[in-house]
Amino acid sequence: MMPTALHALSVQPSVAIAGDVRLSSAAATTRAKSLPTCASKALPLMSLVRAAVSSLARPSAQRQIDLDIQPEHATLRPPVQPEPIAHALLNLLSNACRYSSSESRIRVRSSLQWADGAQHVVLTVCDRGIGMSRSHQQRAFEAYWQGPGVNAGPGRGLGLSVARELTDAQGGWLELRSALGIGTEVDLWLPMPLSAGRSA
C-alpha cells in the first residue's frame, strides 16, 4: 500500500519544534541515567518523531529522512514521557544513519498493531544499509557491542542498548529485523489506549 503522508525532511541539528521536547545533539551517545526526569504531558506522535529528527547530530543531520506517519496516527498521544521516547528514537535514527551510506534515505513509518491483547502504536525506523547477520542480531542490544562496517565517527556501542532500556521503562519494547546487504528495520512499540485508536 502506498504511503498517504510522506514527508521528506533535511534538518539541521538541535532545531526545536515549538511545543515539542528539546534534545541536545549529543543525546544519541548520552547514557540513560543522565536524562533529566520528564514530567511533561503526553505529546502527539508526530511531535515525538520531529523532536528526534531535529536533534540528529552532524553529519546525520544532513541525511534525507522520510516520515511516513499516517494522518490518523500523527495526533495520537501515547501515554509515555516524551523525552525518553524521543531519545530512544533518536538513537535508532543515529544508528540507521551510521550503518548506511550518506546517499541512502532513512524512513520512519507508523502503524497500529495488537499485541498481548492490547493496542500499540509502532514506529519503524528503516535503513538500506549494510545490515546484520543473524549472529550479530543476537548481540545487537548488548551494551558496548559494535558490529563491523561502522561508518566514520565515534561510537560507544550503547545506542540500541539505551534505546531498549528507555522504551522498556515506558511500557514498550523494541524489535529488530535485518539482512546483510539489504538493511535493518527496528520497531519501537508503545502502548496505546484503545479509545485513542478508535477515535483516530
Side-chain angles (χ1 to χ4, degrees):
M1 182 175 64
M2 294 295 292
T4 58
L6 187 62
H7 307 279
L9 299 181
S10 181
V11 299
Q12 299 300 316
S14 298
V15 176
I17 308 297
D20 291 351
V21 293
R22 296 168 183 257
L23 301 175
S24 69
S25 295
T29 56
T30 302
R31 294 173 183 261
K33 65 182 181 181
S34 67
L35 282 171
T37 301
C38 180
S40 302
K41 63 180 181 179
L43 291 179
L45 191 67
M46 182 61 86
S47 295
L48 288 173
V49 173
R50 288 186 180 275
V53 172
S54 297
S55 298
L56 280 167
R58 296 180 185 273
S60 298
Q62 310 305 320
R63 294 290 297 275
Q64 193 75 27
I65 311 291
D66 294 336
L67 301 186
D68 183 9
I69 307 300
Q70 300 300 309
E72 62 270 26
H73 303 160
T75 57
L76 293 178
R77 294 174 179 262
V80 296
Q81 292 183 335
E83 185 169 290
I85 293 303
H87 186 159
L89 185 58
L90 171 60
N91 283 11
L92 300 184
L93 287 166
S94 297
N95 265 18
C97 292
R98 198 156 177 253
Y99 284 88
S100 60
S101 70
S102 59
E103 293 77 22
S104 65
R105 299 160 78 107
I106 308 299
R107 181 185 179 200
V108 182
R109 66 172 185 262
S110 66
S111 61
L112 284 177
Q113 305 286 344
W114 284 85
D116 300 327
Q119 184 175 236
H120 295 74
V121 62
V122 183
L123 290 171
T124 303
V125 177
C126 314
D127 70 66
R128 294 298 173 257
I130 61 174
M132 286 184 278
S133 66
R134 287 191 177 185
S135 61
H136 289 160
Q137 290 178 54
Q138 293 174 354
R139 302 193 61 190
F141 292 100
E142 291 182 17
Y144 301 106
W145 183 84
Q146 291 181 284
V150 180
N151 291 339
R156 303 177 184 176
L158 287 170
L160 285 178
S161 175
V162 169
R164 182 173 65 176
E165 183 177 345
L166 293 173
T167 306
D168 287 351
Q170 297 298 314
W173 67 88
L174 299 181
E175 294 180 354
L176 181 146
R177 299 176 298 282
S178 188
L180 277 175
I182 296 178
T184 299
E185 296 187 353
V186 182
D187 298 329
L188 191 160
W189 289 68
L190 294 174
M192 199 68 216
L194 180 59
S195 57
R198 285 178 172 173
S199 63

